[in-house]
Structures are given as structure tokens and as C-alpha cells.
Amino acid sequence: MSLSPVNNAAPASLILNVDDNDAARYAKTRILIRAGHHVIEAASGEEAMSKALSEQPLVMLLDVKLPDINGMEVCSRLKSNPATSSILILQTSASYLDVADKIRALDGGADNYLFEPIEPEELAASVNALLRLARVESELRNVDRRKNEFLAVLAHELRNPLAPIRNAVELLQQKDPDAPAWQLKARGTITRHLDHMVRLVNDLLDVARLSHSKLSLQLRPVELRSFVDSALESSNHLLSLRRHTLTVNLPQQAVWVMGDEVRLAQVIGNLLLNAAKFTEPGGRIELSASSDGESLLIAVTDNGIGLAPDRLQDIFHMFEQARDPAGGMHDGLGIGLALVKNLAEMHQGSVHAHSAGPGQGSRFELRLPLTQVAADTRIMNEVADEHRKKRILIVDDNVDSADTLSDILETFGHEVKAVYSGGAALSEAPLYQPDAVFLDIGLGDMTGFDAAIALRKLTGLERTFLIAFSGYGDELHRSKAVDAGFDDYLVKPMDFSKLAAMSFARKA
């Protein structure tokens, strides 16, 4: 192997050179150093994995034949670990020289494979090619990270104005339910389009979470009717608007699955909304469920536009949308069915589409594993307190949001006071002694987390029910809320059915 000078156009980068043969390792290290790179070394598989984790090199030069762990196994382990999966691996071998060995290495996750002896120019060029790829991938990850941060901020900024709008419409409904027909129609229009905007914002955030595996489930035993009823409630407006006839056939006996009730309701709701959108007005939709002792099968069937055979799998891809026979597109982002598929699989289930063809309607089948539940009242949703009149403090620097929420809670029979800063809350709360506090996270003078911690230290507020509410609905903010001592977390704009049902009583 010649050690003639090597031309290198790539800037210096950290390379991990792994080889148990001292002479071979030295030669490759010298080539890479002369090419302008920083090089660290390892002589075994265990040492390679340890240094890969601690040093985070951009590229690893990995010999296949190592004394403790085969290099192909080392590659597989590194690629399966999220902390090291982005390291690009160039496998080398003086022993495994067959094309089949190269194919096996590449199939196992290696990014390139070279047979030894390797010419210095070839080694340097191969490493530089991987470095260029590493930098492109790094930039793409940064772009993706910035995109998701933007989506989170966008959702927060959109939810803030949506909250007082929804509160105002609900207040009009509560205060003047017998308004003139034109006014009721206008309220209905606002509500429908507001609900649509909230769905779009939530879907965008779910896409970002799914792409980074940050969408988590709150698993517990859930009865079929509980999440089906929620789904029917959320989709009822579109079904009614398009004058569809909905038939619901559910088992008489209780059927339990282990799942996240909110997410399961989202799955069924998305299937119903999909059927409603792609079925001509006045169509027929059926929601049915059955169990075979091991799994629950939920089916949504419609007599809508149907699907061509080659579209039955594509329809679950992100941003895919069905076209009607005339070639027109329907509203939405093409996200709903992709979320259905991902959420079904996160519940250890599956979803499949069936259709006899365009114009022949569609059937979507969701299958979930059953769980056995003992007849124990602890599994049921417990009501910790009677819904008696409560003293409630609202804390939000968005005055419209605070005032309209106060008015809504007063219509539910509670005594309510609103303040508009964290400092005002800390001054008012000891005097007011609220049963519950609604605390915005993004206050102007302090965070809602800091305000919650401070409130908990005030005399008489140790058992006060604290509700965080925010435009941010991600797991990080929810987790920080738990750490700060909040009892519940609501995302703006709020679900008024949940708000009306809250007892504001802390669990022992």
C-alpha cells in the first residue's frame, strides 16, 4: 500500500478507524491524517461502539474481522441505536472478498464496502464522499428540526386567537340559545370552520411528532363505546352537513382494548370524516364492530367514490388524497389516513382499505387486540367530587381569552375571577382561595410552570386544582406541567364538553 500524498477537497472531520491489525490500522490512519482529517482509533468491536457513542464521529472506517464482535454485527448495532445511527460506516476487509460479502454488509447497514488492500486515493475519495453525504444529511436533519420547531410555534400562535373565538361563540350559545335563525346559522358556520382549523393544526403537529417518534400513548383499558362516542361527537357536524345517513352497529356486551382513548377516538373520527368527505351528499355510512375473542374489528363502510385497486395502499401515505371521478380534489392536507395507520400500528393493530373500484364505495377495517378487564370500579372513570359550584381563578395575559373563558365557566354555575399576569395571580390567589386555577403557560412576566410552583407554596393552596392551558400540546410541555405540579393540561381552544364535566377535585 503506497503512502503517496493524497489530494483532499473536504474539510477536516472526525473519523473513527477500527481495525485489530496494528499495521493496517496505522496505514489507514496515516492516509486519513494526510488527507486533512482528525482520526481516532479502536482495535475491537466493543471499543468501537463505545467511542462511536462518546465521540460521535461523522464516519467510521470499520474492518469486518475483529477479535470480539464481527464488524457486520457492530455495524448493525450502531445503525439500530438512534444515538449512533447517523454515523456513516465504510466497511473494509482483507478476508471477506466475495461480492456476496459486500452485499451482506450493505444490506446490514453499511454505507460503503471496500476490499483490501486499498489504494490511498480510493480510501480518501471514499471517505470524502461519505463526508459529503454526512454533511448533507446533517443539514437535512437541521432543516427538519427547524421545520418542526416552526410548526410547534405556528400551532401555538394559531391556537391563541382560536381560543377566544371559540369561547365567544360558546358564550353566545349559552346566553342566547333562541337567537334569530340567521344568527344561529352564522354561529354554526363559525363553529364548523373553527373546528376544521383546529383539526388542521392538530394534524400538522401529529405529523411532526410521528416523523420523530415523539407521539406517545397514554395506555389503559378502554371500552369500545367510550372512544366511539367521542368519535361520533367530533364527526357529527360534517355528517349532518352532508346529510349522510349513519348506521352504528356495536356489540351489546362491553368490549375492552388496551389503548389511548383520545387517540382511538381520533382514529375512528378520521375514518368517519374520510367517509363523509368522499361520499356524495345524502350517502350511507355504516360504523360496525365485532370481536372474535382475540381481536376487535371496527369497520367504516360507505357508498362513496370508491378506490381503484392500485390506490388501496397509497391512500395511507402522508399527503395522499383521493380524487373524485371527475378528477377534483377535496379539502384537507391528506394526513388523516396516514395518522390512522400509524396510530393503529402504535396500538399493535392494523388498518386496511377495501373497494370494488371507483364509484363502488369503500370499507376501512381497523383491527385491535382485545384485553381482559376485571369488573373493578377502579378501571372506570372516577368522579372525584360532585360538580358543585367552585371558586375558579383564570390567569392569562391574553385578555380576550381570559375574559371569555371566565364568562363560559360562570354559565356552568361557578364563581370566577380573571387576572392577566403571574404576579397578579400570586397576589390574588391567597385572598381569593380558589378551588381551581386555570393557568396559561406563556404568561408575559413568568412562565406558567414557575407560577404553578409558586402557587403550590402559598398557604391554603396546597390542594388547589391546577389546570395548565396553552397553545402548545406537545409531550415536552405536558411533562413539564406534571413536574410543576399541575393536575390537568388543556390545549387551546378547549373542548367545552370536557370543561363542563370537570370536577376540579385533586386525587388523594
Side-chain angles (χ1 to χ4, degrees):
M1 179 183 292
S2 169
L3 286 178
S4 57
V6 176
N7 246 341
N8 174 50
S13 300
L14 183 62
I15 312 294
L16 175 56
N17 180 18
V18 186
D19 197 324
D20 67 326
N21 184 301
D22 293 341
R25 188 174 68 251
Y26 173 79
K28 286 182 282 190
T29 293
R30 290 293 300 162
I31 292 170
L32 294 172
I33 289 175
R34 294 180 68 178
H37 302 300
H38 300 302
V39 184
I40 56 176
E41 297 182 341
S44 69
E46 289 291 351
E47 186 182 7
M49 290 189 291
S50 176
K51 287 191 174 181
L53 191 60
S54 62
E55 303 297 330
Q56 289 291 307
L58 283 177
V59 171
M60 178 186 292
L61 201 60
L62 179 60
D63 188 46
V64 173
K65 193 174 182 181
L66 296 172
D68 53 348
I69 307 172
N70 182 280
M72 292 186 186
E73 175 63 21
V74 172
C75 176
S76 177
R77 293 187 191 183
L78 291 173
K79 290 296 186 179
S80 63
N81 184 347
T84 55
S85 61
S86 63
I87 298 173
L88 297 181
I89 296 177
L90 171 57
Q91 288 209 300
T92 64
S93 180
S95 304
Y96 298 91
L97 305 178
D98 193 271
V99 172
D101 297 319
K102 181 176 183 178
I103 293 172
R104 186 158 64 94
L106 295 173
D107 285 344
D111 298 285
N112 200 353
Y113 189 98
L114 295 179
F115 301 120
E116 296 192 49
I118 310 169
E119 289 298 319
E121 291 81 2
E122 182 183 13
L123 178 60
S126 297
V127 168
N128 288 341
L130 289 180
L131 286 172
R132 289 193 294 272
L133 179 60
R135 292 187 181 97
V136 170
E137 290 185 349
S138 177
E139 182 57 30
L140 288 174
R141 285 193 296 272
N142 286 333
V143 169
D144 201 36
R145 175 183 55 78
R146 291 194 293 269
K147 176 204 71 178
N148 288 318
E149 290 173 353
F150 169 75
L151 286 176
V153 172
L154 175 65
H156 178 264
E157 294 305 314
L158 286 173
R159 281 169 169 161
N160 272 333
L162 291 177
I165 295 173
R166 174 172 278 179
N167 293 349
V169 174
E170 179 66 17
L171 186 60
L172 288 172
Q173 297 290 85
Q174 296 284 342
K175 293 290 189 180
D176 192 11
D178 300 319
W182 66 267
Q183 192 177 122
L184 294 176
K185 182 179 179 181
R187 292 178 197 171
T189 300
I190 295 171
T191 300
R192 283 193 303 274
H193 289 278
L194 184 63
D195 288 343
H196 184 62
M197 284 216 39
V198 171
R199 268 201 321 278
L200 292 177
V201 170
N202 290 338
D203 282 354
L204 280 173
L205 283 177
D206 284 344
V207 167
R209 292 174 191 144
L210 280 170
S211 65
H212 285 75
S213 301
K214 291 183 178 179
L215 189 64
S216 61
L217 302 179
Q218 304 297 319
L219 298 177
R220 66 177 185 84
V222 182
E223 208 282 316
L224 170 66
R225 288 181 182 274
S226 65
F227 61 85
V228 166
D229 287 345
S230 296
L232 291 172
E233 183 179 351
S234 67
S235 55
N236 181 63
H237 70 282
L238 184 58
L239 292 166
S240 299
L241 181 67
R242 294 180 65 83
R243 305 187 309 279
H244 293 317
T245 299
L246 174 65
T247 304
V248 180
N249 293 308
L250 302 180
Q252 293 297 315
Q253 71 278 15
V255 180
W256 295 83
V257 298
M258 185 65 70
D260 184 315
E261 183 172 352
V262 173
R263 294 301 182 181
L264 289 175
Q266 182 181 8
V267 168
I268 305 303
N270 281 3
L271 290 176
L272 288 170
L273 290 172
N274 181 74
K277 282 201 307 182
F278 295 103
T279 300
E280 291 297 317
R284 299 187 306 277
I285 299 172
E286 181 184 8
L287 170 63
S288 62
S290 60
S291 65
D292 59 10
E294 293 185 358
S295 62
L296 169 66
L297 178 66
I298 302 172
V300 175
T301 308
D302 63 65
N303 65 337
I305 65 174
L307 291 165
D310 60 350
R311 297 279 290 151
L312 294 177
Q313 295 302 317
D314 293 345
I315 201 67
F316 293 107
H317 295 166
M318 201 71 73
F319 307 118
E320 285 284 342
Q321 281 192 305
R323 294 179 178 270
D324 61 35
M329 293 291 290
H330 292 257
D331 64 337
L333 301 173
I335 291 173
L337 290 179
L339 287 174
V340 166
K341 182 177 186 294
N342 279 277
L343 288 171
E345 291 172 352
M346 290 176 69
H347 282 85
Q348 308 304 312
S350 62
V351 64
H352 297 282
H354 306 273
S355 177
Q360 302 298 307
S362 303
R363 177 181 174 88
F364 288 82
E365 294 182 349
L366 170 68
R367 191 174 293 275
L368 299 169
L370 293 175
T371 188
Q372 298 299 317
V373 177
D376 189 335
T377 55
R378 289 174 299 176
I379 294 170
M380 309 303 178
N381 292 326
E382 297 177 354
V383 178
D385 194 13
E386 293 297 326
H387 300 300
R388 60 180 176 81
K389 180 178 180 180
K390 299 293 173 65
R391 184 182 289 112
I392 298 174
L393 180 65
I394 308 295
V395 188
D396 193 343
D397 60 349
N398 184 321
V399 176
D400 289 336
S401 178
D403 289 349
T404 52
L405 179 58
S406 297
D407 292 339
I408 293 295
L409 289 169
E410 284 178 351
T411 66
F412 294 156
H414 301 300
E415 178 186 333
V416 188
K417 178 172 288 189
V419 296
Y420 311 109
S421 69
L426 296 179
S427 299
E428 185 66 34
L431 303 174
Y432 191 56
Q433 287 291 306
D435 297 300
V437 178
F438 281 80
L439 192 54
D440 183 40
I441 296 301
L443 297 171
D445 57 343
M446 66 177 71
T447 70
F449 306 122
D450 292 336
I453 292 170
L455 284 171
R456 282 277 182 245
K457 296 177 180 177
L458 297 177
T459 303
L461 298 180
E462 300 87 353
R463 301 293 301 168
T464 298
F465 195 89
L466 298 185
I467 305 104
F469 68 115
S470 171
Y472 291 114
D474 57 276
E475 294 304 320
L476 176 61
H477 282 80
R478 291 178 185 273
S479 177
K480 289 175 69 174
V482 171
D483 293 341
F486 282 101
D487 299 288
D488 206 343
Y489 193 106
L490 301 179
V491 178
K492 297 178 181 179
M494 284 180 250
D495 182 339
F496 290 110
S497 61
K498 179 175 181 178
L499 198 62
M502 292 180 74
S503 63
F504 308 115
R506 300 198 79 200
K507 294 182 179 179

